[in-house]
Structures are given as structure tokens and as C-alpha cells.
Amino acid sequence: MRSCFACPWLKRHFSLVLGLKRFLLSGLEKLRHRSFAPGRRSGSTVAVVGSPEESWASSRRTRASMQGNRSRDTRPELALRRAVHRLGLRYRVASRPLPEVRRTADLVFTRVRVAVFLDGCFWHGCAAHHTVSKSNSVYWGEKVARNRARDQDTDRRLLDAGWVVLRIWEHEDPQAAAQRVKAVVLERRRRLDESVNRVESALGTASRPSAGGQRGGQAKQPAQDPPGQLCTTAEPNRQAITPEPKPHGA
């Protein structure tokens, strides 16, 4: 059997082939380590658990708990969505009420402009159930304060755009919360239908000839959309914020 070195080309470029082999093997090893390292999901940029120099978490347990938190489809969200769905309402899940603003609502009723947010008691500072973290309390206090400020800014943006904002705590009963959502949505539908009927009536009056043989006078001004409202829970520590209604024809 002839030796592999009998091939003149392979003998001449043996060092090049060997270097290429080592390069490919090292690349595969790095890729395998990156994809299956503990505490890291494939394709993410999260550091490996147990590397304190790469994480701001105070302990491995804290970091593992943070990595296990979901941004959507939590148990309270699923319970609320099922309860609302049983009442015959249909909605969008984890959608942006205002596409140009990076704020996501848990349930969105686009036609009647109702946005429902399910707030976590810890993350949004519930007065009844929020607990102060024993470790790294300064960081978590500032984090919750930023979340509350962001919530207020989100409410203001949606109110200015004519939306109704409904905020529900995760500790509330999902059945009772679903009834509140249904009441708000049906009320908005009623107002929207009345506005459409007034516009159609005004257009029909303008198209019919008057008693003098001439067309009717100027058409009535279409009714304005109802102003945005912020509907909160019935707890005494959360008050409803409703902007002052603008007079028609102003």
C-alpha cells in the first residue's frame, strides 16, 4: 500500500492541510461550547451561570431566577386570557397599541382602542404585595421606580391617542378582571356604534331635499371619538385618571 506522502501535492502542502484541520476542529469546539454551556440558550448573549465577573446578579440563584422569568405567557396572563375568551371577546396578544411606540400590552382590542396591561406585583410596585428585596435592594428599588415611571408614560401616550388603558394586578381574580374588561369593551363598542349612527344620519339628512326644493343645510359635524380613559382596579390606592372632555365643535 502506498503511503500518503507518495502524492507530491499532499507532501508539499501537508502543513497547510494540517493547519486547516486544526482550525476547523477548534471552531466546532467553540460552537459546541457556546450552544450547550449551562445557563446559556442557543444564540443568546447571556453569560454562563457561575461567572460572577460577567454578571451583575448577586448570586447564582438570583441569576437563575432572573433567567427563568418570562416576558409573556405567564400563569396570570394565561388565566386572564382564558377568562376573557370565555366571555366571547377576541383580542390580540402581546401587541403594540401604537406601532411607533415600543410599549406592548398584554391584551389589545384594536377596533375599540382598549389596551389591557397585567402588572406584576413585584415588578410594578403593588402597594399590597410588593416586597423589598433583601439583597441588592438599592438596585431593585430603582428598577421598580423606573417601571412605574414607564407605566405612567405609557398611559399618557395612549390617552393622548384616544385609547382606554385598563391595568390589572396579577393578584386579582381573573374572572372578576375579565368582567371588568368586558364592561369596558362593550361600553366602547356602544359609543363607537352611536358615533357611526350619528355620522350616517347626518350624511342621510344632507342628501335628502328640503321642503323648499333645495338640498338640506350643512351636514352635522361628525361626532368626535370619546376621549381616552385610564381604567384601574377598584382598590382605593389606585384612582382612575380621566382627561377633561373637549367640547364639540371647539
Side-chain angles (χ1 to χ4, degrees), residues 158-249:
L158 292 176
L159 293 177
D160 293 342
W163 283 72
V164 170
V165 181
L166 184 63
R167 290 198 172 269
I168 301 173
W169 289 116
E170 67 174 347
H171 68 259
E172 294 187 52
D173 179 58
Q175 305 301 328
Q179 292 294 339
R180 288 175 49 213
V181 173
K182 180 179 179 179
V184 173
V185 171
L186 293 182
E187 176 63 18
R188 292 284 287 187
R189 284 180 181 175
R190 184 186 65 81
R191 293 186 181 184
L192 180 61
D193 292 340
E194 289 180 354
S195 300
V196 172
N197 292 335
R198 283 196 295 267
V199 172
E200 292 179 350
S201 177
L203 294 177
T205 303
S207 61
R208 290 197 298 268
S210 60
Q214 298 179 354
R215 294 285 181 178
Q218 295 182 354
K220 297 180 181 179
Q221 295 294 333
Q224 298 180 357
D225 291 336
Q229 297 177 355
L230 173 60
C231 302
T232 61
T233 180
E235 298 178 1
N237 60 334
R238 302 187 85 184
Q239 299 179 354
I241 303 175
T242 306
E244 298 181 358
K246 298 180 181 179
H248 294 287

Side-chain angles (χ1 to χ4, degrees), residues 7-167:
C7 177
W9 183 92
L10 184 61
K11 184 176 181 181
R12 227 176 10 251
H13 300 86
F14 177 77
S15 59
L16 178 62
V17 175
L18 184 61
L20 180 61
K21 177 184 177 182
R22 290 176 179 176
F23 175 77
L24 294 177
L25 291 178
S26 62
L28 292 175
E29 181 65 20
K30 290 180 180 180
L31 182 61
R32 184 189 66 82
H33 177 74
R34 182 182 180 86
S35 300
F36 300 99
R40 182 191 292 272
R41 294 184 299 272
S42 178
S44 65
T45 57
V46 180
V48 179
V49 174
S51 303
E53 66 278 4
E54 299 181 9
S55 172
W56 48 262
S58 58
S59 64
R60 293 185 179 181
R61 183 176 181 180
T62 300
R63 182 163 183 80
S65 176
M66 289 292 296
Q67 290 178 335
N69 291 330
R70 292 183 177 183
S71 60
R72 55 171 290 181
D73 298 336
T74 61
R75 289 184 180 180
E77 290 181 13
L78 294 177
L80 177 62
R81 278 153 48 180
R82 293 191 186 104
V84 173
H85 193 276
R86 285 194 212 99
L87 297 177
L89 301 179
R90 299 299 179 261
Y91 46 82
R92 293 186 178 181
V93 177
S95 178
R96 295 181 184 180
L98 303 177
E100 67 276 8
V101 181
R102 294 188 60 185
R103 307 292 167 84
T104 303
D106 298 302
L107 280 71
V108 178
F109 300 85
T110 55
R111 181 175 178 269
V112 294
R113 294 187 180 184
V114 174
V116 181
F117 295 86
L118 185 64
D119 296 336
C121 293
F122 175 79
W123 298 105
H124 298 266
C126 174
H129 300 90
H130 177 71
T131 57
V132 180
S133 177
K134 295 181 180 179
S135 60
N136 207 4
S137 58
V138 176
Y139 170 82
W140 289 116
E142 295 176 351
K143 172 66 175 178
V144 173
R146 290 195 300 269
N147 289 344
R148 294 177 68 105
R150 180 184 176 89
D151 293 342
Q152 295 176 2
D153 180 69
T154 301
D155 297 341
R156 179 184 58 79
R157 290 172 181 265
L158 292 176
L159 293 177
D160 293 342
W163 283 72
V164 170
V165 181
L166 184 63
R167 290 198 172 269

